[in-house]
Amino acid sequence: MKVDYIIVGQGVAGTLLAYFLKQQDQTVMVFDPVYERSASQVAAGIINPITGRRYVKSWRVDELIPFAKSTYRKLERELGVSIYHEQHIIRTLFNQREENDWLSRTGDPGYETYMLEQAELGPYAEYTERAFSYGEVCHSAQVDIGVLANTYREILKAEGAFRKSSFDYELLQITPEGVTYQDVSASTIIFCEGAKTVDNPFFNYLPFAGAKGDVLLIRIPDQRFEKIIKHRVFLVPLMNDLYWVGATYDRKYEDDCPTNTGRAFLEERLADFLKLPFEVVTHKAAIRPTVKDRRPFLGRHPEHNSLAIFNGLGTKGASLAPFWAHHMAEFLLKKRKLDKAVDIKRC
Ligand SMILES: Cc1cc2nc3c(=O)[nH]c(=O)nc-3n(C[C@H](O)[C@H](O)[C@H](O)COP(=O)(O)OP(=O)(O)OC[C@H]3O[C@@H](n4cnc5c(N)ncnc54)[C@H](O)[C@@H]3O)c2cc1C
């Protein structure tokens, strides 16, 4: 069988790359074992334009968020599922200094669209411990990137373009025309394996870091919190009284399994501010594909031109993936040069 592209890994990166390539009439074959502890299955998919202790705009957020929103909205229409949920983020400010920093940042040019001086707590006012003060972030969202990957997989399967299997690097043949793997030949193979890239003999030279995160899915009956709140941990409303709580951030880890320490940390942080009882429904963990300079990895292998990578989405896959998957597809189709900030040649 001959296709234009083989894609290894179908998290949010592989899914959106397949989507944009197919939009340009390219054929793909996607390999993935469907691993429950992949980052896209565990993440909340929060898009947060204002981050860090200094309340700065995330990298290139003015381009990334509108592109992400229009891509996810288009996919919602095509797939018939709900993916992109616009939700403001209430940000707890713990002392006078934090409040001053917040207020002064709201006056900076380009920040007024994303930050409100005065937060509207809604039901959080009654059901959480009162903190010193609060800020509110707009143009933020929760994106069901796991639902997106799972739904898109069904489309790929129906087209015979998906194989549920782990890719075996030793079986890859590099040919003058491209690559051959099992019975599939392609001009290029693109690796989108998230944190598992450390096992990829062709691209594990790249400076991946990796950061493990534990998360909880909890139930809080009969509440209608509509906004995300960040009070040391994020509490993210999903649906049917379910909420995502996370996450831990560990640079050192032995494996990708959930730990008792991670769960205890999250439960304690939640109990610090939530005045309501909650039931833990699920406890999960995964490793974020973080990169030392915090920029995605796009490009072709320096020696084998038919091998390429799209990875390094780090802690921000929901906002980065649409824009950079589209960029990668255009690069593969020779419609543009890679942006130097994301090109693996920088390493
Ligand atoms: C706890 C946690 C919380 C997070 N919260 C957020 C958040 O709120 N907002 C946000 O934007 N981002 C968040 N992230 C980050 C986000 O999840 C990632 O940036 C994004 O999901 C990475 O997508 P990916 O497709 O590159 O990797 P993954 O989602 O890990 O997908 C990689 C895929 O490759 C497959 N694969 C691996 N090896 C092979 C192989 N040999 N053969 C075939 N297939 C293979 C895996 O099965 C998997 O499906 C979070 C991550 C974690 C872990």
Side-chain angles (χ1 to χ4, degrees):
M1 170 193 257
K2 198 160 173 24
V3 292
D4 296 311
Y5 295 95
I6 295 175
I7 296 178
V8 180
Q10 199 238 331
V12 69
T15 299
L16 288 171
L17 182 59
Y19 173 69
F20 284 120
L21 286 171
K22 274 159 51 57
Q23 273 199 332
Q24 303 275 339
D25 299 322
Q26 303 299 297
T27 51
V28 300
M29 177 60 79
V30 182
F31 289 84
D32 194 306
V34 188
Y35 184 55
E36 61 174 352
R37 291 196 290 278
S38 77
S40 302
Q41 295 299 328
V42 170
I46 301 166
I47 292 187
N48 183 7
I50 303 292
T51 52
R53 292 199 180 140
R54 295 178 52 247
Y55 316 122
V56 286
K57 283 206 266 183
S58 293
W59 179 61
R60 294 175 72 159
V61 79
D62 297 328
E63 310 168 77
L64 293 175
I65 293 189
F67 195 89
K69 182 174 170 180
S70 69
T71 303
Y72 292 125
R73 288 282 185 236
K74 195 157 181 284
L75 277 157
E76 283 181 328
R77 289 193 294 276
E78 289 176 21
L79 303 178
V81 285
S82 175
I83 300 167
Y84 191 85
H85 310 281
E86 275 187 72
Q87 287 173 332
H88 285 196
I89 301 175
I90 304 286
R91 176 113 191 214
T92 300
L93 307 172
F94 289 99
N95 51 48
Q96 189 66 61
R97 183 187 52 76
E98 290 190 3
E99 187 183 52
N100 291 346
D101 289 349
W102 181 273
L103 292 175
S104 86
R105 185 64 83 197
T106 57
D108 284 359
Y111 278 75
E112 63 284 354
T113 1
Y114 298 111
M115 297 172 85
L116 299 179
E117 282 182 20
Q118 205 75 48
E120 270 296 332
L121 292 184
Y124 286 126
E126 188 176 348
Y127 297 113
T128 58
E129 298 292 345
R130 179 83 206 166
F132 181 83
S133 180
Y134 301 90
E136 186 163 337
V137 179
C138 328
H139 296 292
S140 43
Q142 183 267 322
V143 190
D144 283 328
I145 52 176
V147 170
L148 167 63
N150 297 342
T151 313
Y152 200 71
R153 188 176 313 125
E154 295 309 312
I155 304 228
L156 293 171
K157 274 186 195 168
E159 293 172 355
F162 182 84
R163 296 207 184 153
K164 187 176 175 191
S165 98
S166 193
F167 188 86
D168 183 345
Y169 308 101
E170 289 191 1
L171 301 183
L172 181 69
Q173 294 169 44
I174 301 172
T175 62
E177 298 79 37
V179 291
T180 300
Y181 180 71
Q182 297 173 340
D183 60 331
V184 188
S185 298
S187 62
T188 300
I189 181 167
I190 308 116
F191 292 100
C192 309
E193 309 126 300
K196 295 241 178 201
T197 295
V198 291
D199 300 328
N200 182 321
F202 305 106
F203 287 102
N204 62 3
Y205 73 91
L206 291 169
F208 277 95
K212 182 176 172 182
D214 280 54
V215 311
L216 301 177
L217 202 63
I218 63 163
R219 180 172 289 116
I220 310 174
D222 305 326
Q223 280 313 314
R224 291 281 178 271
F225 298 132
E226 285 174 356
K227 296 176 184 174
I228 298 169
I229 187 164
K230 184 177 183 208
H231 184 111
R232 298 205 170 91
V233 289
F234 281 99
L235 176 67
V236 183
L238 302 175
M239 54 179 141
N240 303 331
D241 295 337
L242 291 177
Y243 296 81
W244 183 98
V245 181
T248 59
Y249 192 92
D250 299 309
R251 287 205 181 87
K252 289 194 178 143
Y253 46 86
E254 282 172 10
D255 55 35
D256 60 3
C257 298
T259 63
N260 290 338
T261 331
R263 176 172 176 156
F265 173 90
L266 294 170
E267 287 194 48
E268 279 164 28
R269 290 287 156 113
L270 189 59
D272 273 350
F273 74 99
L274 186 67
K275 291 203 258 177
L276 291 164
F278 59 88
E279 171 205 347
V280 176
V281 179
T282 324
H283 172 202
K284 301 185 193 180
I287 299 173
R288 303 167 180 90
T290 53
V291 167
K292 296 216 166 96
D293 68 3
R294 299 202 210 153
R295 297 292 173 258
F297 281 145
L298 277 68
R300 288 188 181 272
H301 191 274
E303 284 164 30
H304 306 293
N305 197 45
S306 49
L307 274 50
I309 187 166
F310 174 43
N311 204 317
L313 300 179
T315 60
K316 297 196 170 81
S319 52
L320 295 172
F323 186 90
W324 294 113
H326 181 256
H327 191 87
M328 182 73 188
E330 298 236 298
F331 162 71
L332 290 167
L333 293 164
K334 299 193 173 65
K335 291 187 175 178
R336 71 159 74 211
K337 286 191 172 166
L338 278 184
D339 187 315
K340 286 198 174 80
V342 297
D343 192 336
I344 54 169
K345 283 191 186 138
R346 74 187 187 275
C347 301

